[in-house]
Amino acid sequence: HNRLFENIGKGEFSVPKGDVDPVLESLIVGMLETDFNDRFTILQIKDHDWLKKKHPRISLQLQLLYEIL
């Protein structure tokens, strides 16, 4: 896990293609941008299309499984 955090800190990461909704990928990349001037602000995050989207509810058991992973 340490290497992952180091890579994110350096901007050396990729979002798995096909596994992540492109709109979510845009949010993740914007939030993890290493250049402060290009990184999403809180207002940009709150106004992002992915956060405005209605997402299906998942069961508590599935949510707990995601948290463990």
Side-chain angles (χ1 to χ4, degrees):
H1 288 86
N2 286 338
R3 185 171 170 88
L4 173 63
F5 290 122
E6 289 173 13
N7 289 346
I8 290 171
K10 294 183 221 173
E12 298 173 358
F13 67 92
S14 63
V15 179
K17 299 293 180 200
D19 291 337
V20 176
D21 180 320
V23 180
L24 176 56
E25 178 180 359
S26 163
L27 177 61
I28 292 169
V29 170
M31 290 172 55
L32 297 178
E33 173 61 52
T34 56
D35 185 333
F36 178 80
N37 294 312
D38 294 332
R39 189 177 312 134
F40 283 177
T41 64
I42 295 297
L43 291 177
Q44 289 172 307
I45 293 168
K46 288 174 66 173
D47 196 43
H48 195 277
D49 288 342
W50 192 83
L51 288 176
K52 291 180 174 183
K53 181 179 173 183
K54 287 195 173 205
H55 300 280
R57 292 184 163 257
I58 60 173
S59 70
L60 179 57
Q61 293 84 2
L62 188 54
Q63 183 176 353
L64 291 173
L65 178 60
Y66 284 139
E67 290 174 7
I68 291 170
L69 298 176

